[in-house]
Amino acid sequence: MVKKILLESHNLKNRATGFGVFNYELIKALSKLNFDDQIYLLYKKPEDLRTEFGTKFHYKKYYSLMRNPFFRTREKYDVWHSLNQNIKVEPCHKPKKYVLTIHDVNFMEENSLDYSPNHIKYFKEKIKRVDVITFISEYAKKQTMQYFDISGIENTIIYNGNSISEIINCDDFQSPLDISKPYFYTIGAFLEKKNFESLVKMMKFLPDFNLIISGNCTNAYGQEIKDLIAKEKLENQVFLSGKVSERAKQFYMQNCEAFLFPSTGEGFGLPPLEAMSFGKPIILSDKTSLPEIGGKDAFYWNDFEPEYMKNVVEDALNQYNQNSDYFIEAYIKRAGSFSWDKAANEYLKVYEI
């Protein structure tokens, strides 16, 4: 039986976020597979997807009004897949299988606008409607089970893939930032949970290195980091690149001394996995999902006191330099073990009725 499957994918518009990367990479991987079903993509600019993916998919235009029950799509689908837990768009008709991917339930632990009785009530109601939950990590599953009752709901863990499918030759890339000194690199959305301030404070104790932080820093947290850099008088040592191209990101990952990621709120953690592709030292927070993704050969901080963090970095660099061949091979192998093609095949199995 040919099924009609809808992927609620409007979040792929922002590929600088984890949701956007997940949406796009899953769809791109699905486009390479053979399947008889009709897969519909819900997106604000379907013509953009049609240009890239052609007739592989069917396309539905997303309107923000669709979040209102009165304006829900009336078309019937056999499978409806909400690609993240915050989606407000729901099917008008109950599908034969409703699939929900949960990346995290950080809204239960963060002081944010999402942490509200209405949001939690909505999420509980959404869980009651679903037939299958997919989690992007074991941590995401454990965190969800801590706050919500998912007993009796079929669930499975499908890991994200590594989004660096091709290493770009960046030999002629001209960095607009100072890379005359050895530098550390990190990238991510400018959110408090990314914990960039801990890196800035640590850099006072590592005067022989610079730090480059990439990501859109135009928001309030970005201003906090800029103010902290000025307060600590680190303007010539810590640099904010803003949003960067794929080529620039790969250049900084290829040439950094180590990739640093002190985040305290990751459902998966795509940037460290990408950085592993280049075999450089990976130093992570030991919080949330990061040990699950980094594995035994990454290095970890268990708190964020600046001098302690500096000591972990120095120890990591020493261990890495003493046995670099081992670490390079281990990191590249682990990066390759997370595959979007594998994830796409697993999602197709979930769509079976």
Side-chain angles (χ1 to χ4, degrees):
M1 180 190 80
V2 176
K3 300 186 294 295
K4 290 179 65 175
I5 302 168
L6 183 131
L7 305 189
E8 209 302 67
S9 52
H10 80 270
N11 282 125
L12 69 78
K13 65 183 181 296
N14 188 355
R15 298 180 198 173
T17 67
F19 287 161
V21 171
F22 174 85
N23 280 238
Y24 177 72
E25 293 292 346
L26 177 58
I27 290 168
K28 185 171 71 171
L30 286 169
S31 75
K32 296 185 288 184
L33 301 181
N34 294 319
F35 50 82
D36 297 323
D37 297 317
Q38 297 176 356
I39 296 183
Y40 291 74
L41 306 180
L42 187 63
Y43 188 53
K44 187 174 183 179
K45 296 182 179 180
E47 61 275 11
D48 292 349
L49 299 182
R50 188 178 287 109
T51 298
E52 181 168 0
F53 300 115
T55 59
K56 188 70 177 184
F57 302 109
H58 300 264
Y59 304 93
K60 296 282 293 183
K61 186 172 178 63
Y62 165 79
Y63 298 94
S64 59
L65 279 173
M66 288 179 170
R67 292 177 291 183
N68 186 307
F70 184 78
F71 293 101
R72 289 174 181 171
T73 177
R74 299 302 196 257
E75 195 166 352
K76 293 183 179 180
Y77 296 94
D78 298 297
V79 178
W80 180 286
H81 185 183
S82 283
L83 295 185
N84 78 66
Q85 68 274 358
N86 294 331
I87 287 173
K88 301 297 192 297
V89 179
E90 298 290 343
C92 182
H93 303 282
K94 178 73 170 72
K96 294 178 182 177
K97 181 178 279 190
Y98 189 134
V99 181
L100 168 64
T101 295
I102 295 180
H103 300 248
D104 61 63
V105 290
N106 286 341
F107 58 85
M108 296 298 294
E109 301 171 355
E110 296 173 348
N111 183 21
S112 71
L113 293 177
D114 285 337
Y115 186 73
S116 69
N118 285 338
H119 183 89
I120 296 169
K121 179 182 176 182
Y122 165 79
F123 187 69
K124 288 180 177 178
E125 291 173 351
K126 190 179 189 73
I127 287 177
K128 291 178 182 178
R129 288 192 289 269
V130 305
D131 300 295
V132 182
I133 299 175
T134 63
F135 297 98
I136 63 171
S137 65
E138 183 67 41
Y139 168 76
K141 179 177 178 177
K142 290 179 179 177
Q143 185 193 39
T144 302
M145 292 175 66
Q146 179 180 351
Y147 295 105
F148 299 97
D149 180 12
I150 63 169
S151 58
I153 301 175
E154 180 183 344
N155 64 84
T156 187
I157 296 168
I158 301 178
Y159 286 107
N160 293 342
N162 180 3
S163 299
I164 297 201
S165 56
E166 178 184 0
I167 293 180
I168 301 170
N169 185 333
C170 300
D171 290 346
D172 60 349
F173 179 81
Q174 298 295 316
S175 172
L177 304 175
D178 182 7
I179 55 172
S180 59
K181 288 167 56 177
Y183 67 88
F184 304 122
Y185 186 60
T186 192
I187 184 171
F190 269 70
L191 303 170
E192 288 186 7
K193 67 182 180 181
K194 299 301 180 182
N195 196 21
F196 292 144
E197 70 272 14
S198 69
L199 296 181
V200 175
K201 293 175 181 177
M202 177 194 71
M203 291 305 297
K204 291 189 300 181
F205 301 95
L206 290 163
D208 295 330
F209 297 89
N210 286 345
L211 170 66
I212 296 173
I213 306 175
S214 291
N216 186 355
C217 54
T218 60
N219 60 6
Y221 184 65
Q223 187 59 52
E224 285 183 30
I225 297 301
K226 293 173 187 175
D227 292 344
L228 180 61
I229 292 170
K231 177 183 176 183
E232 302 291 348
K233 297 181 172 55
L234 295 172
E235 294 94 337
N236 295 319
Q237 191 181 0
V238 179
F239 305 98
L240 306 185
S241 73
K243 294 173 67 173
V244 291
S245 66
E246 178 67 19
R247 190 160 178 260
K249 179 183 73 176
Q250 288 204 23
F251 173 85
Y252 291 127
M253 286 183 174
Q254 287 176 26
N255 293 283
C256 68
E257 292 298 305
F259 183 83
L260 312 181
F261 204 69
S263 177
T264 60
E266 297 296 318
F268 183 81
L270 284 167
L273 192 59
E274 293 179 329
M276 284 184 182
S277 302
F278 304 99
K280 291 301 179 77
I282 306 296
I283 309 172
L284 312 171
S285 158
D286 70 348
K287 314 303 178 189
T288 63
S289 67
L290 293 178
E292 190 178 348
I293 305 308
K296 66 181 181 64
D297 292 310
F299 300 92
Y300 297 96
W301 293 295
N302 56 41
D303 72 55
F304 304 108
E305 192 278 322
E307 288 195 70
Y308 159 78
M309 290 182 70
K310 180 265 296 187
N311 292 337
V312 171
V313 169
E314 290 179 338
D315 182 61
L317 293 178
N318 287 335
Q319 289 191 49
Y320 178 90
N321 291 331
Q322 290 171 13
N323 201 0
S324 60
D325 289 344
Y326 167 80
F327 282 105
I328 291 170
E329 181 180 358
Y331 287 146
I332 293 174
K333 182 179 179 180
R334 186 161 185 83
S337 70
F338 291 84
S339 162
W340 283 111
D341 292 339
K342 179 182 177 183
N345 273 295
E346 292 183 24
Y347 278 105
L348 284 183
K349 291 178 182 178
V350 170
Y351 300 155
E352 293 176 358
I353 297 176

